[in-house]
Amino acid sequence: MIFCEEFFKSVHHLFNLTDLFTKIKNGDGLNLSEVMMMKRIISQLDEIKHKSSLYSLNRMRIKPLVIAVFSFLAGGTAFADAVYTSPKSVVGTWALVGGYNSVVSPKSPATITVTSSGVVNYPDADTRLNCNKFLADGSNDGNSITSYGTINGSTNNQYQSNLMGAYTELNAAVQGNVQGNNNTVTFKAGSSTKNLTVYGAQIKDDYSGNAVTASENTVFIENGSEFLGNKMITGGYAGGNGSSTASNNKVILGSGTYSSTIYGGWAYGQTQVNISNNTVYLYGDANVSAAGIFGGETNSYINAVTLTGNTLVFGYNNTPWTPSSYTIGNVQNFSTIRFDNATWGKTITVHYFANQSTDSTVTKVDATNVAFSGVDSLSSGDSYDMLTIDEELASGSLELTSENSTYTIGTTLEGTGKVSLSDDGKTVTYTVDSASEQASSQSTVDSASEQASSQSTVDSASEQASSQSLSIGSKEQKVDSASVHASSQSHAAAMTMSAGTVALTQGADTTSAAGFNLANSGITGVQSFSSVGGGASRVETGSFVSLKTLNFSVGIGNNVQNDYGLLSIGGAFEAGYGKFKNHFDAGAADPYIKKTGHVSYYGLALLSNFTFENLWHVNGAVRVGRMKSTQNNALYNAATGETYDINIGTNYYGLELGGGKLIKIDDTNSLDIYGKYFYLYQASDSFNAGGKYKLSAVNSHRLRVAGRYSHDFTPVTSLYGGLGLEHEFDGKSKLKVDDKAWAKSSKTKGTRAFGEIGVAVKPASNTGLILDFSVKGLYGDNFRGAWASADIKYMF
């Protein structure tokens, strides 16, 4: 009888709980009386458990675990004073009640979003606001809390206002591991937060002895947020009476003022404790002058503690740490201190330092790859103290990962340096390394771009100045011997200029073909003509550029017969468009930039040709126009994380001179042997993109020698083929960055052979129309290309 009474009481209580959780699941909150009812039912169930034979009769057991699992499957939590369904979006003011406040989701990770107009107010009571996705296996993973608005903790210091990405505190025997992984708390730029204790996750099990894990949780306080009067901040917290692990958690501080302690990971346990590979990042204007920063910490006094691999990083997402005061209250338990971004000349001062890591109390200082801000350039021997400890080392010591370092400044400059540690082991110094000077022993500066006299100037191939004096005109100039040199990625600007050069030289061929076909139309009088060409090429430029272009030239000309021969003269409009890709190693910037772009040009051309009665011929052309070459997201500033576009716009002009001899073999076959000289000038240009880029003018000189064989296959159709050789004498694009260092140049110089085949058609139905179609291939050490063209001429 007692069994039945207790059984039906239990069932009645469980159905009452089901009603409450169904209400929660439908999106309704609980009022205070309903919350009290839930607590009373749970208490009564617990009382039945301890006082009756129902607990063990016939091995039927109703434990708190049964109640908890039943509750969570219904969509709630058996331990909450106030429970809300997920997702929770706070738009207006949300006044929390004291105790537990949870947003739960039975089927997916729970989320809380405080909008820019949302306000969360904590009461003057111990209060927790957290996401709680708790399953029977003890997992509480993947939750997120994101604030764009305002969260106000209690101003009364005797109360604790907690915000947790995930929270689990088991008082029931869950079988298996208890974990809170991949949870995130984010305070967005523009948000306001006061008086909070923040956890990426807090996971505890003081009941069952299960393994407890808080791993890969994150607290992210973005640069531009207001974070004041805070208490403790912890990436991942794990504890229990078994083993506990807090690993791979992150705390990222980009703003705010901190006067308490920041922990990457915190754990306690009675059998084994593992606190490893947690990371704390400092960037933006985060003020930690009164704070303590711990890679990890525990209060467990057992031998089986692993505290290792925790890292403090200066700079995050390529943004440096730039606080008003470069001081930290204390730094403890970090295996590594790493400099990703640093402000040159600003020494970071640590008042108290200790390392009680279990593998080694030596803290490695890593400045092997660092981006400097706050400086335009550096010279050999420049140095500053990166880090200093102004009190005695409480425990542990500093050691360098390497003395050798590479650094970048903006998008333009890079160099090498030496990292050193003072004799007392408390100060880390960075010195620009003179041994890495990129200057050659010849003191080279291009005579054309620098106007150096012939006595003091040598070939520009090295494009680096040495420290000796160069005579420039009548003045002596001292060129600084700095180890800083142009960054690898800056080469992209020179290559983008070269893409324009290639497009313009191909455009010259299209316009030249239009002039050739005008002169060889075989008819006199005013006529229109056009030439359209398109193709792909690969040009070795020191690296290489692959380019696909479409060019056309259209104009009106006149063939005039006189006593000496045939004079052809015309004017044309030319234009072209192309897409290109630069292929080169951009160094550390390579993963962050794009190497594709587009080039376009337009201009006018004047064409002339004279064919003598003896079939000798001479020709000439003048071109003038505007070229634009653009590459988006082409440069990357490692100190700020910004990307920049390359936009080059220059005027151009070109000249063509040629001559040859047409040899008539018979009535249907002929051979034209000719030579041509092409000159192209692209004006210089400059732009700013995380640094100053100054491109020198480009001068292209091409000489072509070729022959074309033609056969009149029918009265209206001619077939032709040609072979030739072409040499580019220059075509170099030179670049100077920040008026200090020459970047790697880009050039189109080289020899290539070419062959062509085509057909010309004169439709019998229209004697004034001539069509010409051809394909062309080019090959050389520095050039690969294929080209197709279509030319149309029409006699008015």
Side-chain angles (χ1 to χ4, degrees), residues 220 250 252-253 281-284 313-321 340-341 639-640:
F220 188 3
K250 295 179 182 179
I252 306 166
L253 306 180
Y281 294 87
L282 291 178
Y283 82 109
V313 182
F314 294 106
Y316 175 76
N317 196 25
N318 303 297
T319 301
W321 184 44
D340 287 354
N341 306 88
T640 64

Side-chain angles (χ1 to χ4, degrees), residues 677-680 699-703 727-731:
Y677 167 74
F678 297 90
Y679 173 69
L680 173 68
N699 290 275
S700 169
H701 302 269
R702 288 187 298 149
L703 182 62
H727 181 76
E728 168 64 71
F729 292 89
D730 193 354

Side-chain angles (χ1 to χ4, degrees), residues 49-308:
K49 167 204 161 184
H50 289 293
K51 291 184 178 180
S52 78
S53 59
L54 179 63
Y55 180 72
S56 58
L57 186 61
N58 295 324
R59 296 184 179 180
M60 173 183 267
R61 299 188 179 186
I62 296 180
K63 295 183 177 182
L65 170 63
V66 178
I67 300 170
V69 171
F70 187 88
S71 300
F72 281 106
L73 291 177
T77 172
F79 308 108
D81 291 332
V83 180
Y84 310 89
T85 56
S86 179
K88 177 70 176 179
S89 181
V90 183
V91 179
T93 300
W94 188 19
L96 300 177
V97 299
Y100 296 82
N101 296 268
S102 297
V103 169
V104 302
S105 177
K107 295 182 180 180
S108 62
T111 61
I112 301 174
T113 301
V114 182
T115 69
S116 58
S117 61
V119 178
V120 179
N121 291 324
Y122 281 73
D124 283 340
D126 287 337
T127 305
R128 293 187 178 108
L129 173 60
N130 61 274
C131 293
N132 196 342
K133 173 182 173 289
F134 176 73
L135 299 180
D137 62 359
S139 64
N140 194 353
D141 303 335
N143 306 298
S144 66
I145 300 176
T146 305
S147 176
Y148 297 85
T150 302
I151 304 179
N152 297 315
S154 173
T155 57
N156 191 330
N157 289 330
Q158 68 177 320
Y159 300 118
Q160 193 162 4
S161 300
N162 297 289
L163 184 69
M164 306 174 179
Y167 173 67
T168 298
E169 185 172 5
L170 287 185
N171 291 305
V174 172
Q175 298 301 315
N177 295 333
V178 180
Q179 65 184 37
N181 301 328
N182 297 300
N183 301 285
T184 304
V185 179
T186 304
F187 300 92
K188 291 289 188 177
S191 65
S192 175
T193 308
K194 296 179 181 179
N195 306 318
L196 285 186
T197 299
V198 181
Y199 298 85
Q202 185 184 97
I203 311 298
K204 298 191 293 184
D205 178 9
D206 293 322
Y207 181 84
S208 65
N210 288 315
V212 179
T213 302
S215 180
E216 298 186 20
N217 303 289
T218 301
V219 176
F220 188 3
I221 302 170
E222 284 190 358
N223 188 17
S225 61
E226 184 182 63
F227 204 91
L228 302 173
N230 70 290
K231 300 174 185 178
M232 184 175 67
I233 298 176
T234 306
Y237 180 108
N241 60 0
S243 64
S244 298
T245 297
S247 63
N248 297 298
N249 301 289
K250 295 179 182 179
V251 176
I252 306 166
L253 306 180
S255 194
T257 301
Y258 304 88
S259 57
S260 189
T261 309
I262 295 113
Y263 297 100
W266 209 103
Y268 69 88
Q270 295 184 15
T271 61
Q272 188 174 10
V273 173
N274 177 20
I275 309 168
S276 60
N277 302 319
N278 303 288
T279 307
V280 178
Y281 294 87
L282 291 178
Y283 82 109
D285 60 0
N287 184 346
V288 291
S289 58
I293 303 178
F294 287 68
E297 182 63 309
T298 182
N299 62 359
S300 295
Y301 298 99
I302 60 174
N303 292 327
V305 173
T306 300
L307 178 62
T308 183

Side-chain angles (χ1 to χ4, degrees), residues 337-356:
I337 296 175
R338 192 176 78 225
F339 287 86
D340 287 354
N341 306 88
T343 303
W344 182 269
K346 300 294 185 180
T347 302
I348 298 170
T349 300
V350 177
H351 294 316
Y352 178 89
F353 177 89
N355 183 9
Q356 298 175 351

Side-chain angles (χ1 to χ4, degrees), residues 395-444:
S395 64
S397 61
L398 298 181
E399 186 177 290
L400 303 177
T401 58
S402 174
E403 293 183 353
N404 299 315
S405 171
T406 60
Y407 66 88
T408 60
I409 302 174
T411 66
T412 54
L413 302 175
E414 62 185 23
T416 59
K418 292 291 186 183
V419 187
S420 60
L421 186 64
S422 62
D423 293 339
D424 61 6
K426 297 194 299 181
T427 300
V428 178
T429 302
Y430 195 99
T431 304
V432 176
D433 184 7
S434 59
S436 67
E437 288 178 15
Q438 300 299 305
S440 72
S441 61
Q442 300 181 34
S443 308
T444 62

